[in-house]
Amino acid sequence: MAAALSTRAQLNIVHAGVDDMVRDSRRSLELFDELGDDWGRLQATYSLIVAAEISGDYPTAARYLDDAIRRAEDLGLWTEVSFRTAGLGRIALLTGDYDRADELHERARRLAIEQSNKSAEEYAEVGLGLSARWQGRLEQAETHFTKWLGWLEQVGGTPGIAFIRAQLGFVAEQRGEFTKAQALHQQSYEAAVQVGDERAIALALEGLAGAAGDPGRALELLDEADALRRSVGLPLPPGERFDVDRISRRATSCPARRRPSTGCP
């Protein structure tokens, strides 16, 4: 029963069913606590970590992650240690501590390589790419992201493909390569629709807003993305507003139908 509840909670992650995720995860955790099963506790808290992160409750996410790392180390589950360490790196990134984010993601990446676990390595390196992009190191970010597209295609990782194409689209847009950015975000949108993940679809719409030549259209796409996020009860938390805020500022300061490359801020 505990394992089934934990699994059902994780299946709800795709559709961002936070209330259901939290309910099932907490009950699963209670049952695993009664059993004294630390492996089960790791599984049960995963969805609680995700729910806290996407809701913007970073202290709660960090608390669960610290506990999960300790339990995984005690059990010798080093792949789990890698995933949770990278998760802690994500929280550092979302709270603006880039140095700690890079340190944790690199530690997680090296551990994943030692364990020959590609999924954990990809998760950690994508975190390094996000940090690089947010700090303006676009070439480095592109290298981190591009490395994993072929592997994700081989293993059928459509959600990961959608996310990485969105990130590469943002890299192109930040460079002023708007046609390339639009193509990448359109590919991300199609992959996100295929998965049926509302948050991934919203991310692609935000990317398309950044690549739009018409500032009015850009603001329409941002509104559409915001409405979609709110429809599942998850407006964009403060730590994830890097792209939306800069695209919105640019769109509101540009004359109609002029790309930022024409001189708009």
Side-chain angles (χ1 to χ4, degrees):
M1 179 66 74
L5 287 166
S6 174
T7 301
R8 186 167 70 176
Q10 293 182 34
L11 291 172
N12 268 318
I13 289 173
V14 173
H15 297 291
V18 174
D19 291 341
D20 292 337
M21 285 164 56
V22 170
R23 182 195 64 236
D24 285 346
S25 293
R26 284 179 175 167
R27 180 54 182 153
S28 174
L29 186 57
E30 289 173 359
L31 293 171
F32 278 126
D33 278 340
E34 291 173 10
L35 295 167
D37 187 332
D38 273 347
W39 175 87
R41 291 185 180 107
L42 283 172
Q43 305 310 306
T45 56
Y46 175 72
S47 296
L48 292 172
I49 292 165
V50 172
E53 179 182 330
I54 65 180
S55 301
D57 186 357
Y58 303 134
T60 296
R63 186 172 68 252
Y64 278 127
L65 283 161
D66 282 329
D67 181 71
I69 290 169
R70 179 181 59 78
R71 292 184 188 277
E73 288 176 339
D74 289 344
L75 292 170
L77 298 176
W78 301 110
T79 295
E80 290 289 340
V81 174
S82 174
F83 272 118
R84 301 303 191 261
T85 300
L88 204 56
R90 290 293 200 281
I91 301 305
L93 175 66
L94 295 172
T95 53
D97 190 345
Y98 295 125
D99 289 342
R100 179 165 169 74
D102 290 343
E103 175 191 347
L104 288 165
H105 281 122
E106 180 59 23
R107 186 188 308 170
R109 188 187 73 86
R110 291 180 180 277
L111 186 55
I113 291 172
E114 290 175 7
Q115 299 300 306
S116 299
N117 190 294
K118 288 293 185 183
S119 293
E121 185 184 351
E122 182 260 349
Y123 184 59
E125 188 156 3
V126 166
L128 290 169
L130 287 168
S131 179
R133 185 172 74 79
W134 285 15
Q135 294 179 75
R137 303 197 305 267
L138 301 182
E139 184 175 350
Q140 184 180 5
E142 185 176 45
T143 298
H144 285 308
F145 295 136
T146 304
K147 174 180 175 180
W148 291 99
L149 274 178
W151 178 76
L152 286 166
E153 289 166 354
Q154 288 177 2
V155 301
T158 305
I161 291 169
F163 185 79
I164 286 182
R165 290 203 183 279
Q167 296 306 315
L168 288 170
F170 284 124
V171 168
E173 174 250 314
Q174 285 176 269
R175 286 174 171 162
E177 300 170 351
F178 298 103
T179 300
K180 180 179 179 180
Q182 188 169 38
L184 285 163
H185 285 302
Q186 184 61 38
Q187 292 168 5
S188 172
Y189 177 83
E190 292 167 3
V193 169
Q194 182 180 339
V195 175
D197 185 337
E198 290 88 348
R199 293 176 67 245
I201 295 170
L203 179 65
L205 291 172
E206 289 155 3
L208 288 168
D214 182 349
R217 178 58 178 156
L219 293 173
E220 288 175 1
L221 286 165
L222 289 178
D223 286 343
E224 186 178 343
D226 181 61
L228 184 56
R229 290 184 183 279
R230 292 181 184 279
S231 73
V232 293
L234 288 168
L236 203 61
E240 296 185 45
R241 293 193 61 86
F242 174 80
D243 293 303
V244 166
D245 286 346
R246 66 179 183 77
I247 292 167
S248 178
R249 286 194 299 269
R250 191 175 66 204
T252 55
S253 65
C254 283
R257 299 193 177 280
R258 291 187 64 189
R259 291 192 184 279
S261 58
T262 64
C264 295

